[in-house]
Amino acid sequence: MKSKLFVALLLLPLLSLGWGQTGHRVVGEIADRHMSPEARAKVLEILAGESPAMASNWMDFIKSNHDYDHMKKWHYVTIPDSIDYHEADTPHGGDAYLTILRIIEEIESGEFHGWTEAEALKSLIHLVGDLHQPLHVGNGEDRGGNDVRVKWFGEPSNLHRVWDSEMIDGQQLSYTEYTNWVDVATQDQISKWQSDDIQIWMEESKAMRESVYDIEDPERLGYQYNYDHIAELNDRLLRAGIRLAGILNELYG
Ligand SMILES: [Zn+2]
């Protein structure tokens, strides 16, 4: 029985989706708590009553439907170590950065191309989160850490998944409990973060890589790695939620 379970775990698909469900919901929930009443009412209306937290994973849920295959490369950007975004090649069909810009433009103009406003808005909520996951600003060498095999508390995983979901799920908190834990920004931080250009979000994620990839023994990732990184992971979720609220307040407030 035990060996069967082990084999099943080995066969789990190792290519991950962006922050896991809880991470994306935390970003949506933080944004919800920092939106103006006008913006919140408008967003809720467009989402037909679904909260930003619960709408945040739509972009991952549709990945099994091939009608949406063109959206797969919108979840990340690639910036090799030695260059900046503008020197890097943008994939044909776009990336996370260009897609966020396009969605903002479509919402401002009220003209939506190939999707509804609700779908565009759900994607915006998701992608602001993705760009804050340091491994969604990939180095172009290992599919955002998906190819970096590790053992997380003895179970096969990979570095991307550790950042998407392993550390977050390991806290064993609901997304609202997690939000209560990390939603502690000062007014100064909120003003600063909401005025940062999207390129700064990407630079921050890229700058984290050195520490993210600093792994002593890939076979034994667990308490120490979590201890070293959970505060900066939580900071990424917080910044993403605060910045998302800033954008939604501007668009719908
Ligand atoms: Zn994603």
Side-chain angles (χ1 to χ4, degrees):
M1 195 63 203
K2 228 179 182 172
S3 67
K4 254 189 198 162
L5 179 66
F6 182 65
V7 170
L9 283 169
L10 279 178
L11 294 175
L12 274 177
L14 291 179
L15 185 66
S16 301
L17 303 166
W19 294 119
Q21 295 196 30
T22 302
H24 276 294
R25 284 175 186 156
V26 168
V27 172
E29 179 65 14
I30 292 171
D32 202 346
R33 296 184 188 185
H34 290 270
M35 271 193 276
S36 67
E38 298 78 22
R40 184 182 301 111
K42 197 82 222 288
V43 163
L44 268 186
E45 185 193 322
I46 294 162
L47 297 177
E50 198 175 32
S51 67
M54 294 313 292
S56 67
N57 287 297
W58 176 77
M59 245 188 131
D60 282 335
F61 294 156
I62 57 170
K63 278 183 173 170
S64 56
N65 182 338
H66 291 302
D67 291 348
Y68 295 101
D69 277 354
H70 61 287
M71 292 169 70
K72 283 187 174 157
K73 56 179 75 152
W74 297 353
H75 292 254
Y76 56 90
V77 298
T78 301
I79 313 177
D81 283 333
S82 56
I83 60 178
D84 67 26
Y85 178 78
H86 286 295
E87 298 166 303
D89 283 335
T90 307
H92 183 69
D95 60 16
Y97 174 66
L98 294 175
T99 304
I100 289 174
L101 292 186
R102 183 166 55 81
I103 293 171
I104 290 172
E105 217 178 270
E106 290 188 3
I107 292 175
E108 279 172 341
S109 70
E111 283 173 37
F112 297 90
H113 303 289
W115 56 2
T116 65
E117 181 165 18
E119 289 168 339
L121 177 55
K122 288 176 193 180
S123 299
L124 177 65
I125 293 166
H126 182 90
L127 294 177
V128 172
D130 273 353
L131 265 193
H132 284 78
Q133 206 278 45
L135 289 167
H136 276 247
V137 177
N139 58 19
E141 288 169 19
D142 58 13
R143 298 184 306 138
N146 274 292
D147 294 336
V148 181
R149 299 290 174 106
V150 300
K151 287 218 172 111
W152 180 253
F153 288 99
E155 304 290 353
S157 186
N158 66 67
L159 190 57
H160 190 99
R161 200 160 84 185
V162 166
W163 278 85
D164 265 357
S165 54
E166 306 275 30
M167 283 195 279
I168 293 172
D169 294 346
Q171 305 304 317
Q172 302 194 334
L173 297 171
S174 69
Y175 77 84
T176 51
E177 291 167 339
Y178 209 112
T179 301
N180 294 341
W181 181 31
V182 303
D183 187 13
V184 292
T186 65
Q187 196 49 53
D188 281 354
Q189 286 174 318
I190 292 172
S191 313
K192 161 82 177 65
W193 292 340
Q194 290 185 340
S195 67
D196 286 335
D197 190 87
I198 301 174
Q199 304 229 11
I200 292 182
W201 317 351
M202 298 194 285
E203 280 162 26
E204 290 169 348
S205 283
K206 182 179 179 233
M208 287 176 69
R209 275 193 220 142
E210 198 176 332
S211 135
V212 167
Y213 280 90
D214 185 14
I215 297 166
E216 238 172 74
D217 180 358
E219 293 288 301
R220 299 173 65 84
L221 226 53
Y223 287 116
Q224 185 65 47
Y225 192 86
N226 184 76
Y227 178 76
D228 290 342
H229 294 284
I230 193 71
E232 50 184 351
L233 183 154
N234 289 346
D235 180 70
R236 296 312 283 161
L237 295 174
L238 178 58
R239 288 181 195 223
I242 295 292
R243 285 164 169 163
L244 176 60
I247 292 175
L248 295 175
N249 284 340
E250 252 180 48
L251 290 172
Y252 294 116

